[in-house]
Amino acid sequence: TMRCPVCNPAGRAGFQMFYDPSLGKVVIFGGASSNATYHEAWAWDGQSWSQLPFDSQVPDFSNDGLVYDKAHQRVVAFLNESWGGTWIWKGLTWTKQAVNPQPPSRGYFGLAYDPDQDRTFLFGGLSDDTALNDKWAVRNNAWIQVPSPLTPPARSGTVLFYDSVIKKIILYG
């Protein structure tokens, strides 16, 4: 059953979605359509959508990655192109982090937060038509490249998520 068809956010691709336990809502952020890039967030409470306000400049976001960091009650994002780099969204504010080093710019990568390690992990993606298979981790605003004896083949457009039952990050696609 279609829910609340008159209050939906505009159709879009390249957005990210996460559950925010502090709001008790599912949130979508960013994305683009054929004629617009969306610098907005919408929250779903199970009945209807409501737009979330921001009190700071909001970065372009399409085919980038973000995850909810429950331990610090914030969103960690890694952005490509002109807004590139590591960003934190906490409360109503987006802030670009001064982080060096950090992963090279890319799109279509996987990003997942591991609460057991209190780290956000990034895998793969696409950089200038080249698929990547590198793995990075960030904690306390410091990225490190993570060596791995067994690495999946290079890929883009993957899904990366933390499975709380087996306590591992899963790479799919």
Side-chain angles (χ1 to χ4, degrees):
T1 304
M2 183 175 229
R3 304 291 300 238
C4 197
V6 297
C7 66
N8 289 338
R12 64 194 71 203
F15 64 90
Q16 290 288 322
M17 179 180 277
F18 62 93
Y19 178 73
D20 184 333
S22 65
L23 293 175
K25 298 177 182 182
V26 173
V27 177
I28 67 168
F29 177 75
S33 66
S34 59
N35 53 3
T37 299
Y38 297 101
H39 313 272
E40 60 189 22
W42 290 80
W44 174 255
D45 65 7
Q47 298 296 317
S48 63
W49 288 101
S50 57
Q51 191 168 0
L52 300 176
F54 290 107
D55 65 4
S56 64
Q57 187 175 23
V58 179
D60 277 347
F61 186 93
S62 182
N63 300 312
D64 297 309
L66 62 78
V67 293
Y68 189 79
D69 172 348
K70 186 176 178 181
H72 303 100
Q73 297 181 334
R74 65 185 187 172
V75 171
V76 177
F78 186 73
L79 299 154
N80 195 17
E81 299 178 4
S82 62
W83 290 85
T86 306
W87 288 74
I88 300 295
W89 165 16
K90 188 164 177 111
L92 305 176
T93 305
W94 277 98
T95 307
K96 187 170 185 177
Q97 305 299 294
V99 180
N100 192 12
Q102 63 185 347
S105 184
R106 66 193 66 209
Y108 305 99
F109 53 89
L111 200 64
Y113 176 71
D114 181 337
D116 297 326
Q117 296 186 51
D118 189 24
R119 291 184 184 194
T120 296
F121 287 90
L122 179 150
F123 177 81
L126 195 61
S127 176
D128 296 326
D129 296 326
T130 300
L132 305 169
N133 71 338
D134 54 343
K135 183 168 96 175
W136 293 77
V138 64
R139 178 173 41 182
N140 299 328
N141 298 332
W143 283 99
I144 58 166
Q145 190 164 6
V146 180
S148 181
L150 180 62
T151 302
R155 62 188 72 199
S156 63
T158 63
V159 175
L160 204 62
F161 64 94
Y162 178 77
D163 183 321
S164 61
V165 174
I166 63 172
K167 299 191 177 287
K168 294 184 185 237
I169 290 181
I170 306 296
L171 171 68
Y172 180 80

